[in-house]
Amino acid sequence: MLKKFAEFLKDEEGATAVEYGLIIGLIAAVIVVIVGTLGTGIKNQFTTVSNAITPA
């Protein structure tokens, strides 16, 4: 029984799955922040161009 418990503690296979999950979560969070920032900037640019165009 103790041998099985020691093997379980030494097993690191599950840890890599958790690490990959954390990395994917971090990448997703960074993408959300970048898209939000770019979206606001692009919206402001379109508003500026729209205001600059005079109706014909």
Side-chain angles (χ1 to χ4, degrees):
M1 180 76 172
L2 288 175
K3 184 178 179 182
K4 291 284 186 187
F5 185 70
E7 289 176 10
F8 175 75
L9 290 178
K10 289 181 181 179
D11 184 21
E12 295 182 3
E13 187 174 324
T16 53
V18 172
E19 291 167 357
Y20 283 134
L22 290 172
I23 291 170
I24 290 170
L26 180 62
I27 290 171
V30 168
I31 289 172
V32 167
V33 169
I34 289 172
V35 167
T37 303
L38 286 177
T40 304
I42 291 171
K43 178 186 171 207
N44 291 340
Q45 289 295 327
F46 275 113
T47 302
T48 302
V49 170
S50 176
N51 292 337
I53 297 174
T54 57

